Amino acid sequence: LTVISGLAEQLGLDSSNHPGLQRPAQLMLQQVWRMNEMITDLLTLSRLELQQETRLNEDVDVAGMLATIAEEARALSGSDRHVVLLEIESSAGLLGDSRELRTAFTNLVTNAVRHTPPRSEVRMHWCTHRDGASFSVTDSGAGIAARHIPRLTERFYRVDPSRSRYTGGSGLGLAIVKHILDR
């Protein structure tokens, strides 16, 4: 993928001499990005399924992590200009694997940005309560029909398969989140 990406970039740079190359080079780069994302997701999911041990002894600064994820979500939104709000009701952190938790939180927020209309609100909320802590992501997207809920964490499952072409999702994000939370 690195070689293909490099060649596609070079084609794009050389397109001033051959204007017909620019669009194919851009499409190649987009597909390389999607393939790279899918491979990364598959490797992550495979590691989570096979690895029995997890580093549950790491102090995770959840508020700091979520602030970074909120900034990344705003950048991901780009010209869609979503309003990404972060509500932190507790400075409490978690004891766990920071890399895994970051992946889970990021996947949830990324899904909200990708499936919410432009200029809409995406709200992230972190709090603690008597039974523990909770993180939620709320958006004003179309929502998910009840019949899809039981299958949302299956590998490659998509509520609307036709949307994947536009959103770039692999159908693995929520399966990854499930495995992280199970661990």
Side-chain angles (χ1 to χ4, degrees):
L1 288 176
T2 302
V3 171
I4 294 169
S5 176
L7 291 172
E9 285 176 12
Q10 190 61 43
L11 279 173
L13 292 173
D14 292 344
S15 65
S16 59
N17 296 333
H18 305 285
L21 293 178
Q22 185 153 7
R23 182 68 180 140
Q26 287 174 340
L27 291 172
M28 287 171 61
L29 284 171
Q30 288 172 355
Q31 292 306 310
V32 165
W33 178 81
R34 287 187 69 220
M35 290 168 60
N36 197 29
E37 186 178 72
M38 185 175 295
I39 289 168
T40 300
D41 285 351
L42 281 168
L43 289 172
T44 299
L45 190 55
S46 178
R47 180 183 53 79
L48 289 168
E49 289 176 342
L50 296 175
Q51 186 180 30
Q52 297 302 314
E53 295 180 25
T54 186
R55 299 181 326 226
L56 293 176
N57 59 349
E58 199 176 340
D59 284 322
V60 180
D61 173 17
V62 175
M65 179 183 289
L66 293 178
T68 301
I69 292 170
E71 286 301 315
E72 292 169 353
R74 290 181 190 104
L76 174 65
S77 176
S79 64
D80 285 346
R81 296 175 33 204
H82 291 92
V83 177
V84 179
L85 302 173
L86 174 59
E87 298 171 341
I88 303 288
E89 288 188 20
S90 173
S91 62
L94 291 173
L95 197 58
D97 184 319
S98 64
R99 188 180 68 181
E100 288 182 7
L101 289 168
R102 187 180 205 304
T103 297
F105 294 159
T106 299
N107 280 345
L108 294 172
V109 174
T110 299
N111 277 355
V113 170
R114 287 182 174 164
H115 298 284
T116 301
R119 293 180 174 77
S120 296
E121 207 174 83
V122 173
R123 184 177 303 270
M124 302 164 56
H125 184 252
W126 169 251
C127 67
T128 55
H129 40 79
R130 189 171 20 139
D131 298 325
S134 67
F135 172 64
S136 64
V137 180
T138 309
D139 62 57
S140 56
I144 301 168
R147 71 179 187 277
H148 296 291
I149 301 293
R151 299 192 62 200
L152 279 182
T153 59
E154 289 179 17
R155 290 173 167 215
F156 302 110
Y157 186 77
R158 291 189 180 108
V159 172
D160 182 358
S162 66
R163 288 200 56 180
S164 65
R165 194 172 300 130
Y166 304 107
T167 60
S170 65
L172 296 171
L174 293 179
I176 290 170
V177 170
K178 177 187 179 282
H179 279 282
I180 290 170
L181 293 178
D182 284 348
R183 290 162 57 84

